[in-house]
Amino acid sequence: MPDGDGGKTRIPILTTTDDRGFTRKATSNEEKAAALAKSFFPAKPTNSSVPPNHEYPNPLPDPSPISLDQIRQQVRRLSPYKASGPDEIPNIVLQKTIDLIEHHLLHIFRAVFKLNLYYGGWKEFTTVVLRKPGKPKYDAPKAYRPIALLCTTAKLLTAIVAEDMARLIETEDILPENHYGG
């Protein structure tokens, strides 16, 4: 059996260790996908770190409805030539057509919250596996990292919501003092 995938530029044979400590070689694409998935998405903890009788703070007020300014600002922030997700809408298309579509996007985004309904197609994404730079060898799953290519419209709405959440968290001062990072 030849090393790798017959000379195609793909992920090489991966060396993994199973649950009993035995070294295994992942040669097929299915075996490699399973090894990468196990590395990228470890099992969730068996016990919760939240105390059983934890008292949560009062709910925060709802944010203001999404505005045209927020849509325009986030569209300007998009990297024009980044890879698109499953919807295959390049960011540059939104940037070049924003004057024509901004009111449509506004109604769609507001309807998401009014109807409490998120379009199922926006939940789809494409996972791309990239090599971590500077690794001496690429025969271990830990030498790779996943990136998710999201649907462009969903990415735009997510960026608006994330900015609203960050602003609300900051103004309401709800993060603990010892919280650092993302």
Side-chain angles (χ1 to χ4, degrees):
M1 176 179 274
D3 272 3
D5 293 315
K8 298 176 187 167
T9 43
R10 306 247 184 226
I11 294 176
I13 293 173
L14 297 176
T15 304
T16 62
T17 306
D18 67 17
D19 296 334
R20 296 178 296 171
F22 293 109
T23 300
R24 303 275 183 226
K25 298 277 186 189
T27 57
S28 72
N29 286 335
E30 291 77 17
E31 291 170 330
K32 293 174 191 177
L36 290 169
K38 186 176 180 181
S39 174
F40 298 157
F41 311 109
K44 69 178 192 175
T46 53
N47 298 322
S48 172
S49 61
V50 177
N53 297 325
H54 181 71
E55 289 190 34
Y56 291 93
N58 291 329
L60 296 174
D62 288 338
S64 302
I66 292 174
S67 69
L68 283 173
D69 285 339
Q70 287 177 297
I71 293 172
R72 285 188 212 110
Q73 182 180 21
Q74 290 303 330
V75 168
R76 278 192 303 270
R77 289 181 180 170
L78 292 172
S79 297
Y81 301 108
K82 287 257 182 161
S84 57
D87 60 1
E88 298 182 356
I89 301 172
N91 293 341
I92 189 73
V93 170
L94 288 184
Q95 292 175 328
K96 296 290 186 182
T97 62
I98 191 60
D99 294 338
L100 301 171
I101 64 172
E102 62 187 5
H103 288 281
H104 299 288
L105 291 172
L106 180 68
H107 292 296
I108 291 168
F109 291 168
R110 286 184 174 177
V112 166
F113 294 100
K114 183 177 182 181
L115 301 173
N116 198 24
L117 182 67
Y118 194 79
Y119 171 59
W122 289 353
K123 297 175 186 177
E124 294 178 17
F125 58 92
T126 302
T127 302
V128 177
V129 177
L130 300 177
R131 289 179 170 198
K132 292 180 181 175
K135 297 290 181 182
K137 292 175 68 180
Y138 290 95
D139 64 346
K142 295 266 186 221
Y144 298 87
R145 67 181 179 91
I147 61 166
L149 301 177
L150 307 174
C151 291
T152 304
T153 313
K155 184 172 28 180
L156 184 59
L157 177 59
T158 301
I160 292 168
V161 170
E163 188 173 69
D164 278 348
M165 287 176 61
R167 185 175 21 260
L168 209 59
I169 288 168
E170 186 72 28
T171 58
E172 297 292 327
D173 195 31
I174 61 171
L175 286 181
E177 298 230 357
N178 61 349
H179 180 85
Y180 297 99

